[in-house]
Amino acid sequence: MDDLDRRILTILRTDGRASFAQIGDDVGLSPSAVKRRVDRMVADGVIQGFAAMVDPQIEGRSTEAYVELFCRGTVAPEELTRILSRIPDVDEAFTVTGSADAIVRIRAVSPPALEVALEKVRLAPQVDSTRSAIVLSRLFGPLAGDLGRDDAL
């Protein structure tokens, strides 16, 4: 990967639907040269896919929490994946360093639905305890618009 590839990736992260012509105008390449670079990055696994980012509020899943999991003994990541992937409101899960064994992001339609999802996580035989933080507002990042971001910095 070179600097042009990085610039192309920056554009695609911001607007995954940008045309090769638009990207080419921004980075100084022809549309066909941009396509070749994007195709190569896909083939090399640099770009792992293209997806639509859907606003969870529009989906009706506006209650969001990050949950630290503390497990009994050692639990393989594959076992955590098996357990957590069965809980529909679990959006993402990560093994992490620190005192927690994993962190889970849950998105639910309401606080009671969040409580149900949390209870399912807590009932897993390998989970000893959890610690949760409910999201109040999204400051920046995907789907947050430009709140709190000063791109001039």
Side-chain angles (χ1 to χ4, degrees):
M1 268 192 32
D2 62 15
D3 192 49
L4 281 172
D5 289 338
R6 287 181 187 83
R7 290 172 57 198
I8 291 169
L9 289 174
T10 298
I11 294 166
L12 288 173
R13 281 188 188 106
T14 303
D15 181 4
R17 294 181 54 161
S19 71
F20 295 137
Q22 291 169 314
I23 296 169
D25 286 345
D26 287 349
V27 301
L29 293 173
S30 69
S32 60
V34 171
K35 181 183 183 326
R36 282 192 302 274
R37 284 175 173 265
V38 169
D39 288 346
R40 187 191 75 244
M41 288 189 280
V42 168
D44 290 348
V46 174
I47 297 175
Q48 297 181 348
F50 297 89
M53 294 174 15
V54 178
D55 185 344
Q57 299 220 13
I58 301 297
E59 268 188 316
R61 298 173 66 213
S62 59
T63 303
E64 181 176 5
Y66 287 86
V67 182
E68 292 179 298
L69 272 63
F70 301 88
C71 298
R72 291 182 192 96
T74 302
V75 180
E78 297 79 18
E79 180 67 6
L80 284 175
T81 299
R82 186 187 65 74
I83 294 164
L84 298 170
S85 64
R86 293 179 179 171
I87 302 171
D89 287 333
V90 171
D91 257 8
E92 294 181 291
F94 311 91
T95 56
V96 295
T97 62
S99 59
D101 295 294
I103 294 179
V104 175
R105 183 174 72 184
I106 297 176
R107 283 193 176 141
V109 297
S110 64
L114 173 64
E115 186 175 20
V116 168
L118 278 169
E119 194 58 30
K120 289 178 183 176
V121 170
R122 288 184 189 124
L123 288 175
Q126 297 83 349
V127 175
D128 189 41
S129 64
T130 62
R131 181 172 39 218
S132 304
I134 296 175
V135 175
L136 299 177
S137 64
R138 186 175 302 277
L139 300 176
F140 63 89
L143 305 176
D146 58 5
L147 294 175
R149 275 307 253 216
D150 186 354
D151 291 327
L153 293 179

